[in-house]
Amino acid sequence: MGNQVRHLLSAADLSGEEISFLLDTASALKRKPQPLLKGKHLALLFEKPSLRTRVSFEIGIHHLGGTAMSLNANEVGLGEREAIRDVSRVLARYVDIVAVRTFGQAIVEEYAEFSSIPVINALTNEEHPCQALADILTLKEKWGDLRGRSIAFVGDGNNVAASLILTAASLGMDTRMAAPKGYGLPEWLVSEASARAASSGGKLTLVTDPRAAIRGAEAVYTDVWTSMGQEREAERRRIDFAGFQLNSDLMSGAALGAFVMHDLPAHRGEEITDEVIESPGSIIFDQAENRVWAQAAAVAFLLGVAHQVER
Ligand code: CP
Ligand code: NVA
């Protein structure tokens, strides 16, 4: 409410420079964890299931000397037992930063509007910025310089795709995406990502043919066709995403030795085959590991202590 607190609700909340700084911070913390968050407390308020996000936040904050607590969303009843604005203001009296996993982006926006402490989007229907930071950190570890490197996202224009495309386009990458007609990214995001690609020296290519997106790509990324909360559409989606399965045949069009990426959980045999998940180019578990460091860096950044990290 009119305060200057920084939140991370969308990948678009960070400039390209800030993303680069955050990635450097994450690498430094991974090399050498430092007790920057001593006496700081993180609350996790999750309204959807999670393995990676929850555990990696808790472990990441512990690595930096802080504490984390996970709240049972059913007990809290965000917007049901209690108004969002009241939950937000109460938690801000107890802890220093909060990560929220919920349904619509509007919920996390309303939560942040009333929060005097930083709020991190730990996944909404629309975005998953923590995932994108970990994904790009993983590529940075492999490649060093990201500029001009190509990444193709093949599948649903969902939360994971949205944050990934924004982040890659901000860093001068050759960013490609193929989604079936009707499953593309929202318009505002396409304009924002195009503007970011133009100013970072990157490229943004949006197509409906997965082969066209993958051609010569150095990293190929996919995610589930049916996200949490869309279970009733699963059958329809299996039909609409025909030809989008990341299998050896589709991967054969990518660059030699291309990396395979997935945020997990995967619906094995649906959007991606076992063979591709287990292939030598798969960096899927490195992505999962890097959630710890990308998020620790994001927490340090939002709490204004990232500049204290020894690099
Ligand atoms: N990738 C990811 O966010 O995993 P969880 O849903 O298990 O947290
Ligand atoms: N798109 C997936 C990502 C899970 C981490 C979902 O929202 O279910």
Side-chain angles (χ1 to χ4, degrees), residues 71-87:
L71 299 167
N72 180 334
N74 292 336
E75 260 170 38
V76 174
L78 189 62
E80 284 171 19
R81 177 171 183 263
E82 198 163 350
I84 294 172
R85 63 180 67 185
D86 293 343
V87 175

Side-chain angles (χ1 to χ4, degrees), residues 5-309:
V5 182
R6 282 291 298 266
H7 304 295
L8 176 55
L9 306 183
S10 160
D13 289 343
L14 299 169
S15 67
E17 260 174 36
E18 287 173 332
I19 296 168
S20 299
F21 174 66
L22 240 148
L23 296 177
D24 285 345
T25 306
S27 301
L29 291 174
K30 187 174 179 179
R31 273 195 305 275
K32 186 182 174 199
Q34 302 159 44
L36 292 169
L37 299 179
K38 224 166 162 242
K40 299 288 183 195
H41 306 293
L42 163 75
L44 299 162
L45 182 52
F46 279 31
E47 296 199 287
K48 287 178 180 172
S50 170
L51 171 65
R52 279 145 292 271
T53 310
R54 183 180 150 178
V55 177
S56 57
F57 260 116
E58 292 205 11
I59 292 298
I61 204 107
H62 281 294
H63 277 305
L64 303 193
T67 69
M69 75 193 66
S70 285
L71 299 167
N72 180 334
N74 292 336
E75 260 170 38
V76 174
L78 189 62
E80 284 171 19
R81 177 171 183 263
E82 198 163 350
I84 294 172
R85 63 180 67 185
D86 293 343
V87 175
S88 172
R89 286 178 290 189
V90 168
L91 269 185
R93 300 289 179 108
Y94 300 144
V95 299
D96 303 282
I97 185 161
V98 59
V100 181
R101 169 170 287 201
T102 185
F103 296 89
Q105 185 77 7
I107 298 172
V108 85
E109 281 169 4
E110 184 179 342
Y111 190 101
E113 192 190 331
F114 291 94
S115 180
S116 56
I117 60 169
V119 178
I120 300 178
N121 175 353
L123 181 145
T124 57
N125 295 346
E126 286 83 1
E127 283 215 44
H128 197 3
C130 296
Q131 180 70 51
L133 290 170
D135 297 337
I136 301 294
L137 174 63
T138 308
L139 289 175
K140 192 171 173 269
E141 287 178 345
K142 307 290 176 198
W143 290 334
D145 194 3
L146 294 165
R147 294 178 144 270
R149 292 292 196 155
S150 48
I151 182 164
F153 184 98
V154 170
D156 189 16
N158 63 14
N159 42 14
V160 168
S163 297
L164 180 79
I165 297 298
L166 279 170
T167 305
S170 305
L171 297 174
M173 295 181 70
D174 172 355
T175 311
R176 309 149 178 209
M177 168 153 178
K181 223 167 167 286
Y183 291 95
L185 295 166
E187 243 171 72
W188 79 267
L189 198 134
V190 172
S191 326
E192 179 65 30
S194 311
R196 284 173 177 245
S199 65
S200 67
K203 235 165 101 178
L204 180 67
T205 311
L206 303 172
V207 293
T208 52
D209 175 6
R211 286 183 194 280
I214 288 179
R215 198 167 300 128
E218 295 162 288
V220 183
Y221 198 127
T222 194
D223 183 23
V224 293
W225 296 338
T226 300
S227 285
M228 291 181 273
Q230 297 175 327
E231 289 76 11
R232 268 179 307 178
E233 298 170 29
E235 211 168 305
R236 172 82 250 155
R237 285 171 171 264
R238 255 177 240 125
I239 296 164
D240 293 345
F241 284 86
F244 277 76
Q245 183 189 63
L246 203 57
N247 51 33
S248 304
D249 176 43
L250 211 50
M251 274 308 292
S252 67
L256 203 64
F259 291 126
V260 173
M261 303 180 77
H262 194 301
D263 49 290
L264 300 175
H267 295 158
R268 283 171 173 261
E270 197 166 290
E271 79 277 1
I272 190 165
T273 58
D274 286 338
E275 191 185 5
V276 169
I277 292 183
E278 308 298 346
S279 66
S282 168
I283 54 171
I284 291 172
F285 297 97
D286 298 332
Q287 294 172 253
E289 177 183 340
N290 279 330
R291 300 291 303 276
V292 172
W293 306 106
Q295 288 156 196
V299 170
F301 175 77
L302 295 172
L303 289 175
V305 296
H307 60 280
Q308 294 171 15
V309 171

